[in-house]
């Protein structure tokens, strides 16, 4: 710092806090939030993460055998989506990225619908969960302005509802994300931005995306609170989400949660992560993964047994198997249905195309 700058008054200082409750081995780091002693809730959260992982593994198998399109797993990141979704109310609105299957499953979207979507079938966009929740967002970060718009509608209508937008770390490098955050801060909107910081934007590491020490601090420039949490600690994610959503619902404006986790798998089934990161790095990160961490907590504090574990494993596998059977049994859509749900009255040009493919009712 130049000498004359040292003499200038400091007009602002900022801090970013990090939240964590469970160490990788499941031991407790600090006083737990009240919900963490509710065994029914903790087991439900564990089941949600286990179901998401079982579903991901089967979905990858379907893709590898040509029965599903390109697919993005959440391997190692299940605590972020489940921790956030479990804190939401049904009337809140989720705006997910393409990696947030676990949140959709928690919100009631069927596995069959998710498989249809990734299989390229428009029927997968049917909402088997809260009708106002948004579908998967494929373009990176483009759901952030939508989230701000939804939250603006809530505020305009004086509704005690919150928009929850889940993004990846790479999305924070996008202009539309900053514009959404800036608008949310100025208008004090009821929206929670969740940054799933899995360290990689496809093959680009975090250090090449941003010079910021944290991603949470990006909220400060937009005029609201940003917090970093251990994204492999579902207790920390849920606790931060509880506070942030309650604050937004009470009219106190937006918040941002940076959940630091790690993408244990490839970016998608079209990616080969071994080309840009080492096996040793990934193996080291497996020691921090969220499901084993919560299992260790259940064993040490809630008398979780091998029988309990086997029951959940079997239950999840059976649910996934049934869903896959239903998906595979779903016949293809007639080609003329591609024109459905586009217009209240189909323009003549499209009506002609529909007749060309053999629909006499066009």
């Amino acid at each position: 710092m130049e000498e004359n700058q040292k003499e200038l008054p400091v007009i602002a200082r900022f801090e970013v806090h990090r939240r964590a409750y469970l160490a990788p081995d499941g031991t407790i780091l600090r006083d737990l939030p009240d919900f963490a002693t509710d065994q029914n809730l903790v087991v439900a959260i564990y089941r949600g993460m286990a179901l998401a992982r079982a579903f991901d593994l089967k979905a990858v198998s379907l893709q590898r055998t040509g029965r599903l399109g390109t697919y993005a797993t959440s391997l190692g990141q299940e605590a972020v989506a489940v921790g956030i979704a479990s804190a939401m109310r049904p009337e809140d609105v989720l705006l997910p990225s393409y990696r947030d299957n676990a949140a959709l499953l928690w919100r009631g979207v069927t596995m069959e619908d998710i498989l249809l979507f990734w299989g390229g079938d428009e029927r997968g966009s049917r909402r088997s969960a809260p009708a106002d929740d948004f579908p998967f967002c494929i373009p990176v970060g483009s759901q952030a302005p939508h989230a701000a718009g939804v939250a603006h509608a809530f505020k305009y209508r004086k509704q005690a509802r919150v928009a929850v937008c889940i993004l990846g770390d790479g999305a924070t490098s996008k202009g539309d994300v900053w514009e959404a955050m800036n608008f949310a801060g100025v208008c004090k909107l009821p929206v929670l931005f969740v940054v799933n910081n899995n360290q990689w934007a496809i093959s680009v590491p975090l250090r090449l995306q941003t010079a910021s020490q944290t991603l949470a601090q990006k909220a400060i420039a937009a005029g609201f609170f940003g917090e970093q949490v251990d994204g492999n600690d579902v207790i920390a994610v849920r606790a931060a989400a509880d506070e942030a959503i309650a604050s937004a619902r009470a009219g106190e404006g937006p918040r941002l949660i940076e959940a630091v986790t790690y993408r244990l798998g490839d970016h998608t089934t079209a990616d080969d992560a071994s080309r840009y990161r080492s096996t040793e790095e990934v193996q080291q990160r497996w020691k921090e993964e969220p499901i084993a961490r919560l299992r260790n907590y259940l064993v040490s504090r809630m008398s979780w047994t091998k029988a309990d574990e086997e029951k959940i494993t079997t239950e999840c596998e059976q649910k996934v198997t049934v869903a896959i059977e239903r998906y595979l049994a779903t016949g293809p859509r007639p080609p003329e249905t591609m024109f459905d749900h586009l217009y209240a009255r189909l323009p003549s040009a499209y009506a002609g195309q529909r007749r060309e493919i053999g629909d006499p009712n066009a």
Side-chain angles (χ1 to χ4, degrees):
M1 183 181 295
E2 295 180 5
E3 190 63 32
N4 61 343
Q5 289 181 318
K6 293 181 180 179
E7 300 173 0
L8 297 176
V10 175
I11 61 170
R13 286 190 174 91
F14 307 101
E15 293 181 334
V16 173
H17 296 269
R18 178 179 171 85
R19 186 191 299 252
Y21 295 97
L22 301 180
D25 64 358
T27 58
I28 297 171
L29 301 173
R30 55 193 292 254
D31 290 344
L32 294 170
D34 291 342
F35 75 83
T37 61
D38 181 342
Q39 184 163 350
N40 290 333
L41 176 58
V42 174
V43 170
I45 287 172
Y46 182 75
R47 182 183 294 108
M49 293 196 293
L51 180 62
R53 184 166 294 184
F55 177 70
D56 274 353
L57 291 173
K58 292 294 187 180
V60 170
S61 296
L62 287 173
Q63 191 279 330
R64 298 305 190 207
T65 54
R67 295 177 291 175
L68 197 68
T70 300
Y71 183 80
T73 76
S74 59
L75 184 63
Q77 302 165 71
E78 297 89 353
V80 179
V82 173
I84 295 297
S86 66
M88 296 174 64
R89 293 180 183 174
E91 65 267 25
D92 295 332
V93 170
L94 176 68
L95 296 97
S97 77
Y98 48 79
R99 201 180 300 281
D100 298 317
N101 289 320
L104 271 68
L105 291 171
W106 184 277
R107 298 276 290 167
V109 177
T110 66
M111 287 180 271
E112 299 96 291
D113 278 355
I114 294 174
L115 291 169
L116 284 168
F117 178 91
W118 292 110
D121 192 319
E122 284 296 329
R123 288 173 292 184
S125 295
R126 295 175 306 196
R127 304 316 291 163
S128 45
D132 291 340
D133 280 4
F134 276 51
F136 292 105
C137 182
I138 305 301
V140 173
S142 61
Q143 75 271 41
H146 302 159
V150 169
H152 190 271
F154 292 162
K155 184 172 183 178
Y156 180 80
R157 297 169 181 169
K158 296 181 172 56
Q159 296 175 328
R161 303 170 69 188
V162 179
V164 178
C165 179
I166 308 180
L167 309 157
D169 47 285
T172 64
S173 300
K174 296 287 296 296
D176 40 4
V177 173
W178 164 248
E179 291 161 9
M181 290 171 55
N182 185 61
F183 180 67
V186 169
C187 297
K188 207 171 181 180
L189 300 179
V191 56
L192 169 60
F193 297 100
V194 181
V195 179
N196 185 339
N197 181 2
N198 67 16
Q199 313 296 309
W200 291 92
I202 308 183
S203 59
V204 181
L206 187 65
R207 61 182 174 79
L208 296 181
Q209 292 179 52
T210 181
S212 294
Q213 187 175 353
T214 69
L215 298 179
Q217 71 199 60
K218 296 193 175 189
I220 295 170
F224 55 90
F225 179 77
E227 176 184 9
Q228 186 181 92
V229 304
D230 184 340
N232 292 326
D233 174 1
V234 72
I235 302 298
V237 176
R238 168 65 189 255
D242 277 342
E243 291 183 13
I245 291 173
S247 174
R249 200 183 311 280
E252 297 173 6
R255 288 200 184 189
L256 183 147
I257 295 172
E258 175 194 359
V260 181
T261 180
Y262 191 81
R263 195 191 78 212
L264 291 172
D266 298 325
H267 174 67
T268 68
T269 51
D271 176 46
D272 178 6
S274 67
R275 297 173 61 188
Y276 51 82
R277 64 185 189 186
S278 69
T279 301
E280 293 73 21
E281 176 184 333
V282 178
Q283 289 176 340
Q284 184 62 34
R285 293 290 190 164
W286 266 103
K287 299 176 182 179
E288 304 169 1
E289 68 97 356
I291 293 180
R293 185 179 305 203
L294 188 59
R295 184 190 306 122
N296 290 336
Y297 171 72
L298 284 167
V299 170
S300 64
R301 297 299 294 263
M302 295 184 173
S303 302
W304 190 251
T305 66
K306 183 178 179 181
D308 293 324
E309 182 68 22
E310 291 175 348
K311 180 181 178 181
I312 277 195
T313 299
T314 300
E315 175 188 316
C316 290
E317 289 178 350
Q318 288 175 344
K319 286 183 177 180
V320 174
T321 297
V322 170
I324 289 175
E325 290 173 351
R326 289 175 179 167
Y327 162 66
L328 294 176
T330 302
R333 296 168 59 212
E336 62 269 18
T337 60
M338 72 175 77
F339 298 99
D340 292 344
H341 312 299
L342 292 177
Y343 296 90
R345 189 181 186 89
L346 198 64
S348 59
Y350 291 149
Q353 293 176 19
R354 187 165 188 164
R355 284 193 296 272
E356 288 178 9
I357 60 175
D359 185 355
N361 298 317

